[in-house]
């Protein structure tokens, strides 16, 4: 059944993307997109009676994360409408409920308060309609946890970046309460500095003047810069990119950088410094690199010695084999055999 998770998620994201393009949170706009895609027919994927409930449970588990952070308010509204439509379009009885973990219930209550403050009554009606129909199933975890299941086997839910607000960590950290607390600490620090220095030097800055206003101004400046950057990126994605002149200038710059990079000679490593490095010049867009010819291997010492003395041996026939790496023995004249002294004169043959 898990092989249907990818296609179901793709269909849900396509529906949410179409609703996001309307730039509205009205239920009428969502209903038009729902009917245009005929999204209620998604439950026809498994007509078998024994698999309908498992398939409906899979669809609910895929659609429910879009109702919670970190998605934008519009995507969360679309996720609520999606859960409402899926819950009422099921082909099984009793209907499969929507799992909500206890840790996510506070986010749901905050979402309800935001809808009331913004006077989105259609959003409020849909949410309370689900509550009255007992469509939520409160659990300890958003997904079932089975005994013996390994943690690495459970698939992590991937967040679609197009449905998430840009990160605003400074705005989240520097709130009104934090600025008020920083102001109180700053005043206390200023009083302590003045008590230490009875008559401080006017040229000496003991504290940072206007710390809280400067900090608040820096946060607002960053927020406006982030907003302008997001708008410019959206315009470029829509097709309003740079002009042809800027594109050609950028192409020329890249070509010049490539030509300089190909023209430089890289230093060879210690093991390859015996090889010659050749400089390759690039002309225009032709960056063909010449391959250096392979250097012939020099003959060994034994081979050179053989060639040398063989050549000398051909010129003079009288030479001996001097190419041997051993000492050459000089030819010695034959020695005369010496007569040994005879100790038995009786046996000796005396000619006299």
């Amino acid at each position: 059944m898990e092989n249907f998770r990818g296609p179901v998620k793709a269909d849900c994201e396509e529906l949410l993307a179409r609703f996001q393009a309307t730039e509205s949170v009205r239920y009428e706009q969502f209903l038009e997109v729902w009917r245009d895609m005929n999204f209620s027919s998604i439950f026809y994927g498994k007509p078998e009676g024994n698999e309908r409930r498992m398939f409906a449970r899979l669809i609910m588990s895929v659609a429910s994360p879009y109702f919670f952070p970190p998605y934008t308010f519009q995507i969360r509204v679309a996720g609520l409408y999606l859960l409402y439509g899926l819950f009422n379009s099921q082909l099984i009885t009793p209907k499969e409920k929507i799992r909500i973990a206890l840790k996510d219930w506070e986010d749901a209550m905050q979402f309800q308060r935001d809808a009331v403050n913004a006077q989105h009554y259609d959003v409020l009606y849909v949410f309370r309609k689900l509550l009255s129909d007992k469509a939520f199933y409160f659990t300890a975890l958003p997904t079932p946890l089975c005994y013996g299941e390994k943690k690495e086997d459970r698939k992590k839910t991937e967040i679609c970046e197009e449905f998430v607000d840009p990160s605003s960590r400074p705005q989240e950290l520097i709130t009104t309460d934090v600025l008020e607390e920083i102001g109180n600490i700053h005043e206390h620090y200023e009083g302590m500095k003045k008590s230490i220095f009875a008559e401080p030097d006017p040229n000496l800055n003991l504290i940072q003047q206007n710390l809280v206003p400067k900090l608040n101004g820096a946060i607002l400046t960053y927020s406006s810069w982030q907003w302008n950057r997001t708008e410019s990126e959206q315009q470029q994605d829509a097709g309003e990119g740079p002009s042809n002149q800027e594109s050609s200038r950028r192409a020329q710059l890249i070509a010049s950088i490539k030509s300089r990079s190909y023209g430089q000679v890289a230093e060879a490593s210690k093991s390859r410094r015996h090889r010659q490095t050749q400089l390759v010049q690039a002309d225009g867009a032709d960056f063909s690199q010449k391959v250096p010819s392979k250097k012939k291997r020099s003959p060994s010492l034994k081979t050179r010695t053989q060639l040398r003395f063989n050549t000398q041996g051909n010129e003079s026939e009288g030479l001996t084999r001097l190419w041997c790496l051993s000492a050459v023995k000089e030819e010695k004249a034959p020695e005369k055999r010496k007569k040994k002294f005879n100790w038995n004169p009786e046996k000796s043959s005396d000619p006299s």
Side-chain angles (χ1 to χ4, degrees), residues 57 60-61 64 68 96-101 104 135-145:
R57 187 176 303 170
M60 291 297 180
S61 65
S64 58
F68 301 105
E96 185 67 26
K97 294 185 179 182
I98 305 167
R99 294 177 61 94
I100 290 186
D104 297 331
F136 296 111
Y137 185 53
F138 300 98
T139 58
L141 297 174
T143 56
L145 181 62

Side-chain angles (χ1 to χ4, degrees), residues 274-285:
H274 62 280
R275 300 184 180 182
Q276 297 180 357
T277 307
Q278 295 184 359
L279 178 63
V280 179
Q281 297 292 341
D283 298 332

Side-chain angles (χ1 to χ4, degrees), residues 64-82:
S64 58
Y66 297 106
F67 178 55
F68 301 105
Y71 295 104
T72 61
F73 183 79
Q74 184 187 12
I75 296 300
R76 294 182 65 183
V77 170
L80 178 64
Y81 294 160
L82 178 61

